[in-house]
């Protein structure tokens, strides 16, 4: 059997009892190491599981699935994913390839940011489509995610923004020269994402577009959700562009229309609590 096992969001101990039993008895154990990270590294996992864990990078997962599936018809193989296995589309593709290869699979679920984001006080059933915000480069500044945020805002829905992770990435020069030299890992912070959104708003206004939210729209920044040092900060988009939430991973939420209970909850995490005295004026303008 090929097992996809969610690890949750905090540390090595967040794995379920069912998942841990599979890990301890599997022939091989892989850790998917590029769509997210745990606060604990590979060594801490190996110490807790009492066995070797093999790192599976993007190339292995997307191009070498036959190695992942090797002997899965005779032995149990465990594939560990931070959060829940279906929190990334890559893993749906892996399941399709398993079925096409005749490999039986089973999924053991766990918490992911998609449901743990409720810790900030915004109600999960009033979230709209999730978006990803990517790092900009000097010559490449995509903003297509603005349209999805705007669509959520027009319907009064909150938007969870997943922030970019760059792991085992090559520079353009090294890529062109075929050199297997990788850049240091980079993890987008809330203030970087908020700053990019502010720049997009300025661009939209200069183009005569009626913007769906403003620098005064209420937002929530979250870091290391599920860890002991989890941090939540609420405030305007402008305030969050100037706020340091510490070490990764970070997520950003752009609030839609808020129920008074949601407003009261966000006040507890506020940069400036008085902002929430006029919350009805501060949500998405759509």
């Amino acid at each position: 059997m090929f097992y996809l096992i969610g690890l949750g969001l905090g540390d090595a101990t967040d794995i379920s009892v069912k998942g841990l039993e599979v890990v301890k008895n599997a022939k091989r154990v892989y850790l998917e190491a590029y769509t997210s990270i745990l606060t604990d590294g590979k060594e801490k996992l190996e110490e807790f599981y009492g066995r070797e864990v093999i790192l599976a990078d993007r190339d292995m997962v997307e191009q070498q699935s036959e190695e992942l599936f090797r002997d899965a018809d005779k032995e149990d193989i465990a594939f560990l994913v931070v959060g829940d296995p279906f929190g990334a589309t890559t893993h749906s593709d892996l399941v399709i390839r398993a079925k096409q290869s005749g490999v039986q699979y089973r999924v053991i679920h766990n918490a992911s940011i998609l449901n743990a984001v409720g810790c900030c006080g915004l109600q999960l059933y009033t979230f709209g489509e999730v978006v990803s915000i990517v790092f900009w480069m000097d010559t490449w500044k995509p903003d297509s995610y603005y349209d999805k945020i705007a669509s959520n805002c027009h319907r009064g829905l909150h938007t969870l923004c997943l922030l970019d992770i760059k792991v085992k990435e090559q520079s353009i020069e090294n890529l062109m020269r075929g050199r297997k030299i990788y850049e240091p890992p980079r993890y987008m912070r809330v203030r970087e994402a908020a700053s990019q959104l502010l720049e997009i708003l300025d661009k939209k206004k200069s183009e005569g577009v009626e913007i769906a939210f403003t620098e005064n729209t209420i937002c929530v920044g979250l870091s290391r959700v599920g860890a002991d040092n989890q941090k939540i900060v609420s405030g305007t988009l402008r305030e969050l562009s100037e706020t340091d939430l510490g070490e990764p991973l970070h997520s950003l939420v752009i609030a839609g229309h808020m129920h008074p209970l949601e407003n009261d909850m966000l006040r507890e995490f506020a940069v400036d609590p008085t902002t929430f005295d006029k919350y009805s004026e501060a949500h998405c303008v759509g």
Side-chain angles (χ1 to χ4, degrees):
M1 184 72 69
F2 184 75
Y3 286 90
L4 295 95
I5 302 173
L7 296 183
L9 295 169
D11 56 33
T13 62
D14 280 352
I15 190 172
S16 67
V17 173
K18 182 184 293 185
L20 184 59
E21 289 178 351
V22 173
V23 166
K24 287 183 175 294
N25 294 296
K27 178 73 171 181
R28 298 190 309 280
V29 178
Y30 294 97
L31 172 64
E32 189 266 83
Y34 68 93
T35 61
S36 190
I37 59 168
L38 273 181
T39 54
D40 283 352
K42 170 177 174 288
E43 293 74 19
K44 287 284 186 68
L45 294 181
E46 290 178 326
E47 180 182 344
F48 183 70
Y49 301 152
R51 61 167 305 154
E52 179 191 16
V53 174
I54 304 166
L55 287 180
D57 61 14
R58 181 188 297 272
D59 184 63
M60 172 176 278
V61 176
E62 297 182 356
Q63 306 297 329
Q64 302 175 38
S65 57
E66 67 279 358
E67 173 59 23
L68 295 176
F69 299 151
R70 178 170 55 83
D71 296 332
D73 57 334
K74 302 187 289 288
E75 305 280 356
D76 288 341
I77 309 299
F79 183 77
L80 310 181
V81 179
V82 177
D84 185 82
F86 289 128
T89 54
T90 294
H91 308 130
S92 297
D93 179 64
L94 191 60
V95 165
I96 292 171
R97 280 180 280 145
K99 291 180 68 67
Q100 291 173 343
S101 301
V103 174
Q104 294 189 71
Y105 75 93
R106 187 166 297 164
V107 179
I108 300 177
H109 295 283
N110 210 318
S112 80
I113 190 62
L114 299 178
N115 59 350
V117 67
C119 67
C120 74
L122 296 176
Q123 298 168 10
L124 291 178
Y125 60 80
T126 51
F127 275 78
E129 186 173 358
V130 178
V131 306
S132 296
I133 298 181
V134 299
F135 280 113
W136 280 353
M137 297 186 294
D138 291 339
T139 58
W140 187 66
K141 295 186 175 183
D143 61 4
S144 58
Y145 45 83
Y146 169 84
D147 294 332
K148 294 182 179 181
I149 299 172
S151 177
N152 287 340
C153 282
H154 290 319
R155 291 179 289 157
L157 301 176
H158 313 311
T159 304
L160 170 61
C161 304
L162 305 178
L163 307 189
D164 202 5
I165 297 173
K166 296 291 188 186
V167 179
K168 206 173 181 182
E169 296 278 335
Q170 292 175 274
S171 68
I172 294 175
E173 180 183 354
N174 286 329
L175 190 61
M176 292 179 66
R177 292 178 180 271
R179 297 186 299 210
K180 294 290 185 179
I181 300 174
Y182 301 101
E183 300 295 295
R186 289 195 299 152
Y187 307 98
M188 183 178 283
R189 267 51 171 187
V190 161
R191 63 184 178 188
E192 292 175 272
S195 295
Q196 287 188 190
L197 288 170
L198 289 171
E199 190 171 330
I200 290 171
L201 292 178
D202 288 341
K203 178 174 176 282
K204 296 293 182 183
K205 286 188 286 187
S206 71
E207 295 170 348
V209 175
E210 183 178 354
I211 57 174
F213 58 99
T214 74
E215 65 174 31
N216 294 317
T217 293
I218 294 297
C219 297
V220 188
L222 305 98
S223 63
R224 302 174 302 283
V225 171
D228 292 339
N229 60 347
Q230 168 181 301
K231 188 170 184 178
I232 304 171
V233 175
S234 61
T236 66
L237 182 61
R238 175 66 66 185
E239 286 173 332
L240 291 193
S241 73
E242 301 166 351
T243 301
D244 182 10
L245 272 73
E247 293 301 304
L249 292 172
H250 290 196
S251 301
L252 174 67
V253 179
I254 299 169
H257 181 73
M258 291 192 295
H259 185 277
L261 183 62
E262 293 176 297
N263 181 75
D264 291 345
M265 187 73 170
L266 291 194
R267 180 194 291 271
E268 299 301 312
F269 307 117
V271 174
D272 177 7
T274 63
T275 298
F276 294 87
D277 294 337
K278 52 181 183 299
Y279 80 93
S280 61
E281 301 170 14
H283 57 69
C284 293
V285 298

